[in-house]
Amino acid sequence: PLERALKDEDPYVRKTAAVCVAKLHDISPDLVKDRGFLDLLRDLVADANPTVVANAVAALSEIADEEKSSTDDVMGMSSAKLQKLLAALNECTEWGQVSILDALAKYVPEEAKDAERIIERVMPRLQHANSAVVLSAIKVILQYMHEALDPESELCVGYRKKLSPPLVTMVNTAEPELCYVALRNVNLIVQRDQRILENEIKIFFCRYNDPLYVKLEKLEIMIRLVSDRTVDQVLLELKEYSQEVDVDFVRTAIKAVGRVAVKLENAAQRCVNVLLELIKARVPYVVQA
């Protein structure tokens, strides 16, 4: 029945059958290979219906994860399939878009021109209302910038400028839980390429009503982004945080002053001066830290 369903006329049946192949692979991987279900799934990646394409990609990605092989091998990516994926991107649901973008992130084009073309098609996703779609699009663009293009080129400088606003919007969200998830992602992005947000360090300054877990994450990112140009602002902020009531946060802020000194040799003396001023405050846990 599953074999018949994968070739059914109705796209609703085909999209459901695609998910069933992943389920069957979970129960019996050998059966899926012997009966040629993987080939049928690969055919569905070139389907005319965007929802079927998205489900086929999601199922193939799941199978690739289970087999610990690259999605590229399982999906048998070709330029024709690539075009289908990019066309489906504009028409399928937001979670379908996430599946397709994640598959694109695992595929690295051989030629710079192909990478540029795909990035141009993915760029509009940065304006999407769903932050999962935005983050998946950022993942694709970052991946291609570092694997297929020259990160120092003018083209990549332009891409970096476009990646910054959606991240700023996500960090400024009112719900602390969403803000925290965005910050965790930003932390990873900054580790890969801090130039994307080096001019936006102010959005990581802590607000008085931020929960502790958000404040600690913001502190971490501030230390990663701090430079000779912004060090004075950051030290002022850290000095401010050292006078707050939350003991854990105060200790982390004081430790951060030390980390700034280690990171920026030119600013080491200024960091020592801040620490000396804090000792004069004579608050036991501040002096201890």
Side-chain angles (χ1 to χ4, degrees):
L2 181 55
E3 213 164 301
R4 276 205 310 279
L6 284 165
K7 296 172 184 170
D8 198 273
E9 286 170 17
D10 192 319
Y12 191 89
V13 176
R14 294 199 300 278
K15 80 156 180 108
T16 312
V19 181
C20 294
V21 176
K23 176 88 174 169
L24 182 62
H25 185 274
D26 195 33
I27 302 164
S28 171
D30 296 337
L31 187 67
V32 169
K33 283 175 195 151
D34 296 345
R35 295 297 293 267
F37 281 132
L38 278 182
D39 292 331
L40 289 171
L41 254 191
R42 288 188 194 111
D43 293 344
L44 287 185
V45 173
D47 198 273
N49 185 293
T51 313
V52 176
V53 174
N55 277 20
V57 169
L60 285 165
S61 299
E62 203 172 302
I63 290 168
D65 287 345
E66 280 174 28
E67 293 197 343
K68 308 238 178 326
S69 63
S70 84
T71 314
D72 237 13
D73 304 340
V74 173
M75 207 171 293
M77 194 70 95
S78 64
S79 56
K81 276 190 186 156
L82 208 56
Q83 292 311 316
K84 282 283 183 190
L85 290 184
L86 292 168
L89 201 52
N90 296 328
E91 296 172 46
C92 56
T93 63
E94 44 201 26
W95 300 112
Q97 291 179 36
V98 171
S99 299
I100 291 174
L101 288 166
D102 286 349
L104 287 174
K106 291 173 184 160
Y107 164 80
V108 177
E110 287 163 21
E111 293 191 13
K113 274 273 171 272
D114 292 341
E116 283 172 38
R117 260 203 308 273
I118 296 171
I119 289 177
E120 291 304 332
R121 298 280 290 274
V122 168
M123 272 291 174
R125 302 289 131 234
L126 295 177
Q127 268 85 49
H128 202 285
N130 185 331
S131 45
V133 175
V134 176
L135 284 170
S136 293
I138 290 172
K139 181 162 73 173
V140 173
I141 295 165
L142 264 184
Q143 187 74 0
Y144 287 9
M145 267 168 52
H146 288 270
E147 303 279 336
L149 301 170
D150 171 16
E152 306 306 321
S153 66
E154 269 183 48
L155 192 67
C156 289
V157 172
Y159 290 152
R160 279 190 202 98
K161 281 184 185 153
K162 289 179 182 170
L163 290 178
S164 154
L167 288 169
V168 171
T169 307
M170 272 192 277
V171 171
N172 283 334
T173 178
E175 294 92 345
E177 292 84 358
L178 285 177
C179 177
Y180 178 69
V181 173
L183 288 168
R184 293 291 291 176
N185 281 286
V186 167
N187 201 339
L188 292 172
I189 290 165
V190 166
Q191 285 177 45
R192 181 140 202 201
D193 194 340
Q194 65 185 42
R195 286 169 293 186
I196 293 172
L197 286 162
E198 64 186 354
N199 298 323
E200 305 288 350
I201 195 163
K202 281 188 174 168
I203 64 157
F204 301 108
F205 289 175
C206 302
R207 292 195 285 253
Y208 73 96
N209 56 352
D210 280 338
L212 179 63
Y213 58 90
V214 168
K215 284 179 174 173
L216 294 176
E217 205 56 45
K218 281 184 173 178
L219 261 186
E220 195 60 42
I221 296 169
M222 268 163 59
I223 305 293
R224 290 194 192 284
L225 289 177
V226 69
S227 64
D228 288 325
R229 204 178 68 247
T230 53
V231 68
D232 290 327
Q233 283 176 311
V234 170
L235 286 176
L236 258 171
E237 280 291 310
L238 293 174
K239 196 172 156 189
E240 199 91 346
Y241 303 158
S242 309
Q243 287 149 22
E244 291 211 13
V245 282
D246 191 312
V247 179
D248 276 342
F249 182 53
V250 169
R251 287 192 174 130
T252 313
I254 295 172
K255 203 179 279 179
V257 177
R259 286 174 62 191
V260 171
V262 172
K263 184 178 175 185
L264 304 170
E265 280 183 40
N266 299 341
Q269 190 54 53
R270 277 173 279 174
C271 296
V272 171
N273 294 344
V274 169
L275 293 171
L276 290 172
E277 281 175 46
L278 291 174
I279 289 173
K280 286 180 194 157
R282 308 229 167 159
V283 181
Y285 59 84
V286 172
V287 174
Q288 203 178 9

